[in-house]
Amino acid sequence: MQGPFSTRRGAALYLAASLLLGLVMGALVVNTVGAAWSNGLLFAIPVTLVYCFATGFSAYYVCRAYPLAEKPPFSILTVLCLSAVVSAALLAAIGLAWNGLLQAAEVAWAGVEITAPLKAMIFGLGVVLYGLSAAVHYLAIEFGKARLAERRELESKLLAQEAELRMLRTQIDPHFLFNSLNSISALTGSNPAAARQMTLQLSDFFRLSLGLEAHTKVTLEAECALARHFLAIEKVRFGSRLTVEQDIADDAGPCLLPPLILQPLVENAVKHGIGNLVAGGAVRVAARRTGSVLRISVENDVDDDQPGAPGNGIGLANVRQRLAAAYGHEASVACALEDKLYRVSITLPAQTTES
């Protein structure tokens, strides 16, 4: 089925409109020839139903064959006028044939007197109804084109967003690997055994991170587990100088976020914070869910006299861009340095199911 009959809802609406037009035509017949309401409605409603469904198919295919944006207006108007005249003549012929059958029944409540004014009224109504049907079909076709264009534009935006996210994510591994190799290099001369241990843990870390790379979103629990694994690697180098604290609320753990989004922040906390402290310090990760908002903070101890340059490299910039690409204005990243603590706060939508 095509046109207005392609769905049950469309067919039902078209049937309801046809019945309404049948009532209008019945009232006009009663008014024109002075027939009883039973005669007028029995004549008009069946004829109108047949005509409306016939013109529904006819107008649909004419509108498809002569789209507004591709055919000259004159040719469209000519075809529609010819189709309307032919259809109106068919309506008059159907009306005469149906009325003949009704009069053959020889009952008082069937059949009407066919006069010249009634013929003219039926013909004119047929032209008007065909024009209305064509207008409705043109509107439906243009609306469908607009929806298709909107859907294609949205798909293009999603593809571009996914490409941007993949590009940004590819920056993470080289960034982390560069920092890790520097750590291994620093241990090679002073503590070869620790360097070997760190190399093995680095291999395990990348094996774990590959599992997260296969997903567009991972739970905060999985992300924090990866962060703990990384910090265990760094503890080989820093020893007791590095302490780790995590405070993840129970309702925040199942929330989803882009994979490896915390990794650059934890790296910066170790490299730019703990790495500049002779006595060492702590890296703290906390998360809370407030309604539909998830708030995550990564903070570390710093030296007020020599705070380094946390947050100015590729790591924090990557986090900002990935959150902007994934959530737009709904996500934000804020940095603060106060009381010998450097804190990066992330705010993003609290989602527990991927959509």
Side-chain angles (χ1 to χ4, degrees):
M1 300 290 283
Q2 298 290 334
F5 318 113
S6 57
T7 63
R8 291 182 179 179
R9 183 179 180 183
L13 289 175
Y14 202 83
L15 176 61
S18 301
L19 287 173
L20 181 60
L21 292 173
L23 293 175
V24 172
M25 184 176 177
L28 292 176
V29 170
V30 171
N31 227 7
T32 303
V33 299
W37 276 99
S38 59
N39 296 63
L41 293 178
L42 186 60
F43 168 78
I45 290 179
V47 171
T48 305
L49 287 176
V50 172
Y51 181 73
C52 285
F53 275 84
T55 54
F57 283 106
S58 173
Y60 172 75
Y61 286 109
V62 169
C63 294
R64 295 278 295 186
Y66 289 84
L68 294 176
E70 300 177 16
K71 298 291 184 178
F74 178 76
S75 56
I76 294 176
L77 185 61
T78 300
V79 170
L80 287 178
C81 288
L82 290 175
S83 300
V85 170
V86 172
S87 298
L90 289 175
L91 174 63
I94 293 172
L96 289 175
W98 175 243
N99 190 62
L101 291 175
L102 293 176
Q103 288 180 335
E106 296 182 353
V107 291
W109 45 266
V112 297
E113 180 184 359
I114 302 295
T115 63
L118 180 59
K119 291 180 181 179
M121 186 271 294
I122 294 175
F123 184 86
L125 188 61
V127 172
V128 171
L129 291 180
Y130 192 93
L132 288 175
S133 180
V136 169
H137 280 90
Y138 271 128
L139 287 175
I141 290 172
E142 294 303 316
F143 179 71
K145 289 181 178 179
R147 290 190 62 184
L148 180 60
E150 183 180 354
R151 186 182 301 112
R152 287 176 176 173
E153 181 182 2
L154 179 59
E155 290 174 354
S156 298
K157 288 182 178 179
L158 290 175
L159 290 175
Q161 184 186 77
E162 290 176 1
E164 182 180 2
L165 288 173
R166 284 194 298 268
M167 181 272 295
L168 290 170
R169 196 188 295 182
T170 57
Q171 298 177 355
I172 296 175
D173 286 346
H175 179 245
F176 166 64
L177 184 59
F178 176 77
N179 290 338
S180 299
L181 291 177
N182 279 344
S183 300
I184 294 174
S185 176
L187 288 173
T188 301
S190 60
N191 193 344
R196 286 194 298 271
Q197 181 185 355
M198 190 172 186
T199 303
L200 293 174
Q201 290 188 354
L202 181 62
S203 174
D204 293 337
F205 172 84
F206 275 111
R207 189 178 298 111
L208 180 61
S209 66
L210 286 176
L212 297 184
E213 284 284 349
H215 301 83
T216 56
K217 297 285 181 65
V218 298
T219 63
L220 179 59
E221 293 173 338
E223 184 73 5
C224 289
L226 189 68
R228 287 194 300 269
H229 202 89
F230 164 76
L231 291 171
I233 295 174
E234 290 297 324
K235 278 189 70 69
V236 176
R237 179 160 66 99
F238 287 94
S240 60
R241 291 176 56 206
L242 174 61
T243 58
V244 179
E245 300 175 11
Q246 280 196 4
D247 182 14
I248 309 300
D250 292 339
D251 58 348
C255 292
L256 298 174
L257 69 167
L260 303 177
I261 202 71
L262 296 183
Q263 183 61 35
L265 303 182
V266 176
E267 288 183 51
N268 283 342
V270 174
K271 180 180 178 181
H272 299 290
I274 310 305
N276 294 324
L277 297 175
V278 176
V283 174
R284 306 172 185 87
V285 180
R288 293 289 183 273
R289 178 176 179 175
T290 307
S292 60
V293 177
L294 177 64
R295 305 182 191 277
I296 307 172
S297 65
V298 178
E299 65 179 31
N300 59 273
D301 298 317
V302 294
D303 187 351
D304 285 343
D305 297 328
Q306 191 179 5
N312 292 329
I314 189 174
L316 188 58
N318 184 283
V319 171
R320 291 184 191 276
Q321 292 177 58
R322 291 182 66 199
L323 289 175
Y327 301 105
H329 67 277
E330 294 183 293
S332 62
V333 180
C335 305
L337 176 61
E338 56 183 18
D339 297 332
K340 294 186 178 183
L341 288 177
Y342 183 78
R343 181 184 301 106
V344 179
S345 301
I346 298 177
T347 303
L348 66 158
Q351 300 174 347
T352 55
T353 57
E354 267 190 273
S355 58

